[in-house]
Amino acid sequence: MPEDKEYAPVPLGQAAAEAAAAPDPEDPVKSPPRPSSPATSTRKACFAVLQSWVSRKFMTGCVVLFPIAVTFFITWWFIQFFDGFFSPLYAKLGFDIFGLGFLTSLVFILLVGIFVSSWVGSTVFWIGEWFIKKMPFVRHIYSASKQVSTAVSPAFKEVAIISHPRVGEYAFGFITSTMVLQTDKGDEELCSVYVPTNHLYIGDIFLVNSAEIIRPNLSIREGIEIIVSGGMTMPQVITSLDPTPRKNQNIRLDRVMTV
């Protein structure tokens, strides 16, 4: 007869502790980590490299296509918006040609600009503006829209470089007007220089002596591009257009600050 095995009683708490401490092969958290093979490590490394390459190329494509898409979207919306003014009129006349209303709108805007530039047109415009400003509710809408229109088309005369905020550092700005300051020492010609601090439409105004302003060989369009791009379109050499030679007429670009 087989011998009977004797079983010693085990306390319930000790048995529960041993069961909790024993590794469970079906539980990946409790089971010990298995050593990864070289093939698995190679596949993970290749996948990480491929994922990084795809992410970089995808972002490059987004950077390239985003301005193109925005340009086409705004252009298409602009054409449709102005084409809608005269398209119904041409549709009633039997002309269903896309873009004809847009061309008519451009010609109409050009004729309005020519008319308002004349003495008669400016007088008519002033009278109409006076009537609009007398209307209770319409005058607020007109004033707000006129401020937006003025901000979109700033009246910049020249690109200027002034010493700001301290001697030895320079800031880009735009000359908007000139004035004469009369003091006991005599008359002093000052220029109102607008220095943008947030893209283009928010900035500070400085009154700077005309002789202390550096006028670079940059157009208004180039100056706006430098401000909007944060200095990324800065030319390598900027030369002053002043007729009288000065010391350090060529400006070091590492000391020019676009604010």
Side-chain angles (χ1 to χ4, degrees), residues 100-159:
L100 187 60
F102 173 72
L103 296 177
T104 307
S105 300
L106 294 182
V107 175
F108 177 74
I109 294 173
L110 177 63
L111 294 177
V112 170
I114 295 174
F115 176 72
V116 174
S117 300
S118 63
W119 180 81
V120 178
S122 60
T123 304
V124 173
F125 177 76
W126 180 83
I127 295 174
E129 191 176 35
W130 183 81
F131 275 109
I132 291 176
K133 290 182 178 180
K134 294 297 181 181
M135 298 179 181
F137 179 72
V138 179
R139 63 182 180 183
H140 300 291
I141 301 177
Y142 178 77
S143 299
S145 59
K146 187 175 182 179
Q147 291 178 0
V148 173
S149 177
T150 305
V152 171
S153 57
F156 297 150
K157 295 183 178 180
E158 292 181 78
V159 180

Side-chain angles (χ1 to χ4, degrees), residues 28-251:
V29 178
K30 296 182 179 179
S31 60
R34 298 179 181 178
S36 58
S37 60
T40 305
S41 301
T42 304
R43 285 197 300 268
K44 289 182 178 180
C46 293
F47 180 76
V49 172
L50 180 62
Q51 185 180 9
S52 176
W53 181 83
V54 171
S55 300
R56 285 188 284 106
K57 298 304 178 182
F58 183 79
M59 291 303 300
T60 303
C62 291
V63 171
V64 173
L65 292 179
F66 179 75
I68 298 176
V70 172
T71 303
F72 275 101
F73 176 77
I74 295 177
T75 304
W76 181 252
W77 175 86
F78 184 81
I79 293 175
Q80 286 185 327
F81 177 77
F82 283 97
D83 187 73
F85 286 104
F86 293 95
S87 292
L89 178 62
Y90 286 116
K92 292 181 179 180
L93 297 177
F95 297 98
D96 190 10
I97 302 175
F98 178 77
L100 187 60
F102 173 72
L103 296 177
T104 307
S105 300
L106 294 182
V107 175
F108 177 74
I109 294 173
L110 177 63
L111 294 177
V112 170
I114 295 174
F115 176 72
V116 174
S117 300
S118 63
W119 180 81
V120 178
S122 60
T123 304
V124 173
F125 177 76
W126 180 83
I127 295 174
E129 191 176 35
W130 183 81
F131 275 109
I132 291 176
K133 290 182 178 180
K134 294 297 181 181
M135 298 179 181
F137 179 72
V138 179
R139 63 182 180 183
H140 300 291
I141 301 177
Y142 178 77
S143 299
S145 59
K146 187 175 182 179
Q147 291 178 0
V148 173
S149 177
T150 305
V152 171
S153 57
F156 297 150
K157 295 183 178 180
E158 292 181 78
V159 180
I161 297 177
I162 62 174
S163 180
H164 175 75
R166 60 182 65 88
V167 178
E169 295 183 1
Y170 301 91
F172 268 103
F174 300 94
I175 298 177
T176 56
S177 62
T178 57
M179 59 172 294
V180 176
L181 179 63
Q182 296 180 347
T183 60
D184 297 337
K185 299 180 181 180
D187 297 343
E188 182 179 4
E189 182 182 359
L190 301 178
C191 293
S192 177
V193 180
Y194 174 74
V195 178
T197 57
N198 185 2
H199 293 291
L200 191 62
Y201 302 111
I202 299 177
D204 300 324
I205 298 176
F206 298 94
L207 295 177
V208 186
N209 192 306
S210 179
E212 298 178 358
I213 296 178
I214 302 175
R215 292 171 170 83
N217 57 338
L218 298 173
S219 62
I220 300 296
R221 180 185 59 82
E222 292 173 337
I224 293 176
E225 289 179 354
I226 291 174
I227 296 296
V228 173
S229 65
M232 290 187 292
T233 60
M234 184 90 65
Q236 294 299 320
V237 177
I238 298 178
T239 306
S240 174
L241 296 179
D242 294 342
T244 57
R246 297 183 181 181
K247 294 182 180 180
N248 301 328
Q249 192 170 4
N250 289 337
I251 304 173

